[in-house]
Amino acid sequence: MDWRRTKTLFIVLLVLLNLFLAATLLYGNTIGSGQNEYEAHAVRILSDRGITYAGNWPDGPETAGMLRFESVLPTADKLLARMMPDARSRMREDGIREYTVGSRTLRTGKGTDGRDEMVYEDPDAGYVLAGSSDDGIRRSVGDLFRAIGLGKYHLALDEERTDGAARTLTYVQPYREGLLFDNRVIVRLQGGGIRSLTVRLHKEQQMMEPVGGGTGEVLTVQQALLLSPVRGPLELRDVRFGWGQADAGELYFSPMWRIRLADGREIRLDAYTGVLLATQENAP
């Protein structure tokens, strides 16, 4: 073996490797610096428009597709067995299936906004959760979800509000880099009991290409705000990327940015175009 030639070859390869690493580091820093400058400039423009956010601006995926889902609600059998044994059933003239026992009612069908939902209501809040502390109540809600067949959705607490003895907990389904905003369960408590439980959950099927064509490139939330008609003064409280129904009749979730404002409102922006999709007062 020619050790001199081998040594020379090794040195040349080592030098080339160092040059490659140096170039990669330099190029990466340049790109990162440019991106940071762009984001800082976008934030300044938003601030000039009266739009401010005290938190760290979240990152979304570079690309994302639509998410097709099944327009079928979870079965009511386990909820009925757990919370409403011996309930009577009837089909209303408006197509809503209704179950009743005592003060408790369960309805399945279209909601007032045209979306499928399952709604349990009890003005007496007779189904009492175990535990009195905040953590204890959340654990009890999680146990209830598993008992009524919702455990497979791995629901995460998204919002919690209190008003005296009343408390509202909103749970949504995590998915990849974001949340499925319209796959959610809203629990309203009175004291330690459940006053209402609204279930809007659909089984996701598959990713699909953007309906309008293209690569599905996702705007940053700053870009989406700049392209949107939204104007200040607005104080942003929470910013999340995810998927939701742009229209109640659609059978797929679209990528979007959900922005909650300090005044309680919620706005949604199309993650492809920045188009304002919805504004909701006092969300959820």
Side-chain angles (χ1 to χ4, degrees), residues 158-217:
D158 182 47
E159 182 85 351
E160 182 171 356
R161 296 186 180 188
T162 57
D163 182 10
R167 177 182 299 194
T168 300
L169 296 90
T170 301
Y171 292 81
V172 297
Q173 182 183 357
Y175 185 81
R176 294 190 178 181
E177 305 94 334
L179 302 171
L180 300 184
F181 300 126
D182 293 317
N183 255 19
R184 65 183 183 181
V185 177
I186 301 175
V187 184
R188 292 184 172 89
L189 305 175
Q190 188 69 35
I194 297 179
R195 186 177 178 86
S196 72
L197 180 71
T198 302
V199 178
R200 287 185 168 184
L201 292 171
H202 306 280
K203 182 180 178 182
E204 71 277 3
Q205 289 182 315
Q206 63 190 55
M207 276 291 186
M208 53 186 281
E209 296 297 323
V211 172
T215 62
E217 187 172 339

Side-chain angles (χ1 to χ4, degrees), residues 27-38:
Y27 180 74
N29 285 342
T30 301
I31 294 297
S33 177
Q35 182 69 17
N36 291 338
E37 289 178 4
Y38 170 81

Side-chain angles (χ1 to χ4, degrees), residues 3-149:
W3 290 108
R4 179 174 298 177
R5 179 176 296 179
T6 302
K7 182 178 178 181
T8 302
L9 180 60
F10 177 77
I11 292 173
V12 170
L13 290 175
L14 188 60
V15 170
L16 290 175
L17 177 61
N18 286 334
L19 288 174
F20 172 76
L21 292 175
T24 301
L25 182 60
L26 177 61
Y27 180 74
N29 285 342
T30 301
I31 294 297
S33 177
Q35 182 69 17
N36 291 338
E37 289 178 4
Y38 170 81
E39 291 180 356
H41 183 60
V43 170
R44 284 195 296 271
I45 295 176
L46 292 174
S47 181
D48 290 341
R49 293 184 182 179
I51 300 174
T52 59
Y53 181 49
N56 295 321
W57 293 93
D59 295 323
E62 293 184 1
T63 60
M66 305 288 195
L67 182 60
R68 192 186 300 277
F69 64 87
E70 294 180 5
S71 183
V72 179
L73 289 167
T75 177
D77 294 347
K78 290 185 177 181
L79 187 150
L80 290 168
R82 179 83 173 195
M83 304 177 71
M84 299 177 61
D86 303 321
R88 299 182 303 276
S89 171
R90 73 182 182 100
M91 181 65 75
R92 300 186 339 194
E93 292 182 358
D94 57 3
I96 301 294
R97 171 68 65 180
E98 185 176 76
Y99 304 84
T100 57
V101 59
S103 62
R104 303 179 187 184
T105 303
L106 177 67
R107 301 187 307 275
T108 64
K110 297 289 184 183
T112 56
D113 60 359
R115 291 181 168 90
D116 295 315
E117 64 182 12
M118 181 164 57
V119 181
Y120 164 91
E121 292 181 325
D122 177 13
D124 295 339
Y127 187 91
V128 179
L129 296 172
S132 57
S133 67
D134 292 346
D135 289 341
I137 289 175
R138 295 186 193 115
R139 282 195 298 271
S140 294
V141 170
D143 291 341
L144 177 62
F145 287 165
R146 287 184 286 275
I148 62 177

